[in-house]
Amino acid sequence: MLEGMDAQNLIIFSEEVHKARKKKRPIVALESTIITHGMPYPDNYSLAIEAEMLARKHGCTPATIAIIDGKIRVGLTDEEKLSLSKAKNVSKLTTNNLSLNIVQKQTGSTTVAATLLIANMAKLQVFATGGIGGAHRQSELSFDISADIQQLSRSNLIVVCAGPKAILDIPKTVEMLESRGVPLITYKSKNVPAFWSRDSGIKSPMVVNSISDIVKNQKFRAATGQVGCQLICNPVPEKNEISRKYIEPIIEKAITKAISQKIFGKALTPFLLTEVLAMTKGVSLKTNKALLLNNVKLASKIAFMIK
C-alpha cells in the first residue's frame, strides 16, 4: 500500500498548514503529548489552544502533530484537539512504536522524538516543546534513555525547549547530546536550564544572545551538510520558575517512590511528573504552561526570521 510513496504523501496537512506551506509562511511544529499526557482536561485543551494562538500572534502558523485513525496529521482542528484532550488511553508515540500505530490505524499523540521525525518529513524548520527527554537518573544501570536524544541527532530542525526535564540526569543528557553532535545552545543564559528551574548549575556549552545568530547558525549548518537539530534551551521566565533548591528534594522523593513501586520505562516520566504535581500542590502545572508558552514565543520569532 505504501510502495513508491513519497514521505510527504503519507502526511495529511490541515487546511491552515497547507496554505502556509503553499505561500511559504513561517510554521511552528508542536507535539500532541501535551494534550494527552501533559495535564488533565480542560487544562490540556486550553493550553493547546493558547499555544497555537500565540504562534499566530507572532505571525506563524501552528502545526500540532498527531496520529488520528492511522493518519499522520500535521495541523489539527480545534475539534480534533478537543477530542484528543478528552480521550482515554491514547497511545504515547515515539520512534519505535509510531509506524505500527499507523499500520494498525490507531490514534496516538507524538512525543518529542516522533514529532521531530514527522516534522522533518514535512520539511518544517522550527519546533517548540516544553522540555526534552534524555538519560534518566541511574541510567547507567537501567539503560533508560529517551529516544529524543537519538532523533535530535537525525532531524534537522531548530528545537526550542526549557532544557532537559528536571527529573533526568542532566549532566549525562548534556554529554550524550554532545557525543551525537547535537549543539546545545542556551538563549541568554550562561548555564543550562532545568525545565522548571532557570539554572541546572551546569555551564552551557554555547550561548547565544540574539535570534539572528540562531538563524545564521542554522543556515550555515544546512549549507555545510550537517545533520542534527540545533537545540535552543530557553529558561522559564523568572517569575514562573520553581527554584532547583525547592524542587530537587521533591524529585528525589518521586524517584524513590517509583523505584519502590517498580515503575520504569515509558511509564516512569508520566508517573514522576504526576508525583511532582501533587507534591508542589499544582505549582509545577502552572510552570509547565508558562515555560511552554515562553518557548512557543521564541520559536515563533525564530521561524518568522528564518522563513
Side-chain angles (χ1 to χ4, degrees):
M1 180 179 68
L2 303 180
E3 290 181 7
M5 293 188 73
D6 179 79
Q8 290 198 49
N9 291 335
L10 300 174
I11 298 171
I12 297 174
F13 295 97
S14 68
E15 183 178 353
E16 182 183 18
V17 174
H18 173 71
K19 287 180 179 178
R21 281 164 50 84
K22 190 174 182 180
K23 295 183 178 181
K24 296 184 178 180
R25 293 173 180 164
I27 299 171
V28 175
L30 300 168
E31 65 177 294
S32 49
T33 50
I34 62 167
I35 302 174
T36 60
H37 293 80
M39 54 193 67
Y41 178 80
D43 296 286
N44 53 356
Y45 177 68
S46 61
L47 179 60
I49 294 295
E50 190 173 359
E52 291 199 348
M53 289 177 63
L54 184 60
R56 293 187 188 102
K57 179 181 176 181
H58 286 86
C60 297
T61 297
T64 301
I65 294 173
I67 308 301
I68 298 179
D69 297 328
K71 305 293 184 182
I72 301 174
R73 304 296 300 270
V74 175
L76 303 178
T77 65
D78 288 352
E79 291 75 17
E80 288 166 338
K81 291 192 287 288
L82 181 60
S83 178
L84 280 176
S85 70
K86 293 181 176 181
K88 304 295 182 183
N89 302 316
V90 175
S91 297
K92 185 178 181 182
L93 304 177
T94 185
T95 46
N96 68 346
N97 62 349
L98 175 65
S99 58
L100 188 58
N101 180 275
I102 293 169
V103 168
Q104 294 180 340
K105 298 182 179 179
Q106 297 177 7
T107 293
S109 60
T110 54
T111 59
V112 167
T115 304
L116 278 174
L117 188 152
I118 294 169
N120 201 60
M121 286 170 57
K123 302 187 185 305
L124 304 185
Q125 297 188 78
V126 183
F127 168 40
T129 185
I132 63 160
H136 277 274
R137 302 184 190 197
Q138 298 186 336
S139 57
E140 70 275 12
L141 302 176
S142 67
F143 296 95
D144 191 350
I145 299 168
S146 170
D148 293 359
I149 296 284
Q150 190 76 351
Q151 197 58 44
L152 282 162
S153 71
R154 291 175 173 174
S155 298
N156 294 303
L157 287 85
I158 297 172
V159 179
V160 180
C161 70
K165 291 186 173 76
I167 58 175
L168 301 173
D169 185 321
I170 296 179
K172 281 196 186 73
T173 298
V174 171
E175 288 297 329
M176 293 188 75
L177 289 165
E178 182 178 351
S179 70
R180 284 160 178 76
V182 177
L184 187 158
I185 303 171
T186 53
Y187 183 63
K188 297 182 178 180
S189 174
K190 66 178 182 178
N191 286 349
V192 178
F195 198 54
W196 296 301
S197 307
R198 290 176 57 84
D199 187 351
S200 66
I202 300 165
K203 186 177 179 181
S204 174
M206 290 169 278
V207 178
V208 294
N209 293 305
S210 73
I211 292 171
S212 176
D213 281 353
I214 296 170
V215 171
K216 289 176 182 176
N217 191 44
Q218 188 73 357
K219 290 181 176 179
F220 183 86
R221 288 174 60 80
T224 55
Q226 295 185 66
V227 177
C229 293
Q230 185 181 179
L231 184 64
I232 306 301
C233 294
N234 182 34
V236 63
E238 190 172 356
K239 66 180 181 180
N240 303 114
E241 86 159 321
I242 304 174
S243 72
R244 188 159 53 101
K245 183 178 180 181
Y246 173 80
I247 200 71
E248 186 59 27
I250 290 174
I251 293 170
E252 289 177 357
K253 284 182 183 179
I255 291 172
T256 299
K257 188 172 181 178
I259 293 170
S260 68
Q261 295 185 18
K262 298 182 179 179
I263 295 170
F264 55 91
K266 284 198 290 187
L268 180 57
T269 295
F271 175 84
L272 294 177
L273 295 179
T274 299
E275 288 297 309
V276 170
L277 175 62
M279 284 189 272
T280 60
K281 298 180 180 179
V283 174
S284 65
L285 179 60
K286 294 179 181 178
T287 301
N288 285 357
K289 292 179 180 179
L291 64 85
L292 175 64
L293 294 174
N294 190 48
N295 294 338
V296 171
K297 182 179 179 180
L298 177 58
S300 299
K301 291 179 178 180
I302 294 169
F304 194 84
M305 184 175 287
I306 204 172
K307 65 176 180 177

